[in-house]
Amino acid sequence: MRLARTENTFGIQVNQCCASCTYKDLTRAVSLRRCTKHGEDVRPRDVCECWAMSEQLQLAGRTQGRVKRKEYLMYLVAVREEESQSEQMGLKIKAKSIAQVRAEFEREHGSIYVNI
């Protein structure tokens, strides 16, 4: 399937592919993403009919950007690593959504964003 492009509300061009999809989740492998809608590993430039623009790209071009704390990013990596190891051991688990991981982090450590 040919890669299509679209614009967000701020006029930023966005490729319609896994890398820009709201259902994308990162994996340990740099060359793969995890599709949370289909539950499979996919390449960043793969395209499917369920594509929806990610929240980050919907807001790209807005003048009020925020920076995520390194501690939060490392927390997210640790959660995904634990999930990956559980799957490798043959355990059936449901991966936590980004919203769930953020909520857990905020309960334990405060905001995910750097105070500037």
Side-chain angles (χ1 to χ4, degrees):
M1 182 180 278
R2 188 163 195 271
L3 193 65
R5 294 177 70 111
T6 188
E7 261 187 23
N8 72 4
T9 55
F10 300 101
I12 303 295
Q13 290 284 318
V14 177
N15 289 331
Q16 291 180 334
C17 61
C18 178
S20 63
C21 185
T22 193
Y23 301 114
K24 163 201 80 182
D25 201 358
L26 300 178
T27 65
R28 289 187 325 151
V30 177
S31 60
L32 291 176
R33 305 286 195 268
R34 182 85 178 162
C35 177
T36 59
K37 179 135 182 121
H38 300 291
E40 353 178 291
D41 289 340
V42 293
R43 292 185 310 265
R45 295 184 70 80
D46 284 353
V47 182
C48 81
E49 66 281 349
C50 298
W51 181 86
M53 191 182 303
S54 71
E55 181 181 348
Q56 294 91 343
L57 289 173
Q58 289 176 23
L59 300 175
R62 192 176 79 170
T63 59
Q64 300 174 343
R66 297 193 292 178
V67 176
K68 291 184 178 87
R69 291 172 50 190
K70 181 178 180 182
E71 296 85 359
Y72 165 69
L73 297 174
M74 298 308 293
Y75 182 86
L76 177 59
V77 167
V79 167
R80 295 298 182 236
E81 176 73 22
E82 185 178 322
E83 291 170 350
S84 177
Q85 287 177 352
S86 295
E87 284 183 353
Q88 288 175 359
M89 293 184 334
L91 300 174
K92 279 286 195 187
I93 62 159
K94 185 175 189 296
K96 295 177 184 175
S97 70
I98 291 292
Q100 289 171 315
V101 175
R102 285 181 182 175
E104 283 178 9
F105 183 88
E106 288 177 332
R107 272 194 309 276
E108 297 173 19
H109 306 286
S111 176
I112 68 170
Y113 298 105
V114 172
N115 292 327
I116 298 177

